[in-house]
Amino acid sequence: MNAAKADRIPEDEASLQLNDHGELRHLLTLEGLDMPLLVDLLDDAEGFLTPEDNLPARSDALAGRTVANLFFEPSTRTRASFDLAAKRLGADVLNLDVNTSSRKKGESILDTIYTLEAMRCDIMVVRDASVGVPAYIARHVKDHVSILNAGESDVSHPTQGLLDLLTIRRHKGSFADLTVAIVGDIRHSRVARSAAFGLQTLGVGALRLISPAAMAPDADDMPFANIIDNLDDGLADADVIMALRIQRERIPNLDGIPGPDEYFASYGVSRNRMRLAKPDAIVMHPGPMNRGVEIEGALADSAQSVITEQVANGVAVRMAVLERVAKSLERR
Ligand code: CP
């Protein structure tokens, strides 16, 4: 990473998100969204959750709308859940295969967007490795188009943040008395950052960011969090533990990064180490996991783990976001 994160994020990113009526038009970041809106989104998502042995929730809220998934970085969970969420709301869905798209022939991202806009795509879901791409697109699209950030470099993954908040709320209720510990490669993680800003907005009691020095965040990026380098100290009496993978694709020089065994010994979250946390603590991971590196496989499969619930909640959260931005487009 070069410049501090805050210096690389477009200044207008947060303010682009609401339309003139104060409604969510684009979802680019959780920063700048207030508590009532976050709570409304979580409540809406709850409404889309059904028991595992029931059929998934469906509606026709997006009937006639077209959602385009544009993933310029790999994804399993986010892409599949946006696809399913849009289909379960009755939308037409276009999953652009970027590897066989005309981007490979030198077409600019804006020309790709304008092409899809002309085909009447209403909502474009964008994942990109570069900071500022979702906001850049949002600044250039027509009034009838909404942009949803599905993962932006190392700075923002707002729907992941929302699904993490929903998962915590469903297990723990209020955020005010909670100690949340996020463990691992905080510095290169968009997941940690979105979760942190969402937790801050919802009034979390304490937020600990635990990592080796090479993976610690900029001191002034999330000033409301406690930065800790010792895992045992960070886990002590925590209510929620979120393990993160090492984001190798975003680390320019891997020379100082420990190997899997060394990393697990110091920063791997295991059943043994979970004894330091509260007895009813939950364990989260955004996926994809590297078992035996940042998390013990047996812990990921244990009763304390809510990792598959996070995945299920992700579809519901994306339905809630799609429904809400579609409503904002309806006014025009
Ligand atoms: N958590 C997450 O963003 O996973 P994917 O990369 O599989 O979408």
Side-chain angles (χ1 to χ4, degrees):
M1 199 182 65
N2 303 318
K5 280 191 193 184
D7 296 339
R8 292 185 286 131
I9 300 168
E11 276 181 23
D12 63 348
E13 188 173 72
S15 63
L16 282 171
Q17 304 193 98
L18 304 183
N19 68 14
D20 293 343
H21 306 282
E23 300 162 327
L24 190 68
R25 152 91 187 281
H26 307 291
L27 180 60
L28 307 175
T29 174
L30 294 189
E31 290 168 75
L33 298 185
D34 62 17
M35 185 191 288
L37 178 54
L38 294 190
V39 170
D40 280 353
L41 284 167
L42 300 187
D43 290 346
D44 291 351
E46 289 267 5
F48 288 119
L49 289 171
T50 58
E52 214 174 333
D53 53 356
N54 285 20
L55 289 171
R58 286 184 184 277
S59 91
D60 59 1
L62 264 69
R65 296 283 186 193
T66 302
V67 176
N69 283 324
L70 312 175
F71 280 67
F72 300 108
E73 271 194 324
S75 169
T76 297
R77 279 146 287 270
T78 313
R79 178 173 163 159
S81 59
F82 264 115
D83 187 4
L84 289 172
K87 285 174 179 160
R88 287 175 186 169
L89 293 171
D92 296 327
V93 182
L94 170 72
N95 287 300
L96 189 76
D97 182 349
V98 295
N99 291 317
T100 56
S101 77
S102 288
R103 288 276 282 149
K104 294 285 173 195
K105 294 186 268 184
E107 184 170 69
S108 74
I109 189 145
L110 272 190
D111 283 331
T112 302
I113 297 293
Y114 293 151
T115 299
L116 298 174
E117 205 175 52
M119 294 179 191
R120 303 287 300 272
C121 290
D122 304 286
I123 300 173
M124 302 197 202
V125 179
V126 179
R127 171 172 285 195
D128 198 274
S130 300
V131 178
V133 167
Y136 175 69
I137 296 170
R139 259 183 254 116
H140 287 86
V141 290
K142 293 189 173 139
D143 284 351
H144 65 80
V145 175
S146 167
I147 302 301
L148 305 182
N149 179 354
E152 174 190 1
S153 185
D154 56 3
V155 302
S156 190
H157 194 349
T159 56
Q160 178 71 44
L162 288 169
L163 78 86
D164 290 336
L165 295 175
L166 179 62
T167 306
I168 294 170
R169 192 178 77 166
R170 283 175 61 78
H171 279 270
K172 299 293 177 187
S174 162
F175 291 85
D177 298 324
L178 293 185
T179 295
V180 177
I182 307 181
V183 185
D185 183 7
I186 311 288
R187 187 173 190 83
H188 306 100
S189 174
R190 54 196 178 205
V191 173
R193 214 161 168 280
S194 285
F197 282 103
L199 286 163
Q200 160 77 350
T201 301
L202 295 186
V204 72
L207 176 62
R208 300 173 184 165
L209 304 176
I210 307 155
S211 66
M215 299 177 193
D218 297 330
D220 57 357
D221 189 30
M222 292 172 272
F224 45 85
N226 299 319
I227 299 174
I228 297 173
D229 64 3
N230 181 283
L231 179 56
D232 291 355
D233 292 345
L235 294 184
D237 293 322
D239 300 280
V240 176
I241 292 91
M242 183 189 299
L244 299 176
R245 121 189 123 80
I246 301 172
Q247 313 277 300
R248 292 180 176 275
E249 68 276 26
R250 279 188 270 283
I251 303 178
N253 182 355
L254 290 163
D255 286 351
I257 303 300
D261 293 344
E262 190 188 343
Y263 186 82
F264 185 73
S266 300
Y267 290 97
V269 182
S270 62
R271 287 168 298 172
N272 196 31
R273 279 207 157 104
M274 281 297 291
R275 294 196 184 105
L276 298 166
K278 294 227 179 96
D280 63 348
I282 58 170
V283 179
M284 305 174 68
H285 193 303
M289 276 187 282
N290 291 294
R291 290 168 182 256
V293 183
E294 71 272 8
I295 189 167
E296 182 188 27
L299 177 63
D301 299 330
S302 74
Q304 279 186 292
S305 168
V306 297
I307 294 169
T308 55
E309 283 177 53
Q310 288 174 265
V311 175
N313 292 343
V315 180
V317 155
R318 285 156 186 140
M319 289 175 81
V321 170
L322 286 165
E323 185 184 57
R324 190 161 282 260
V325 296
K327 275 184 193 152
S328 86
L329 299 176
E330 267 169 23
R331 291 185 79 114
R332 279 180 273 277

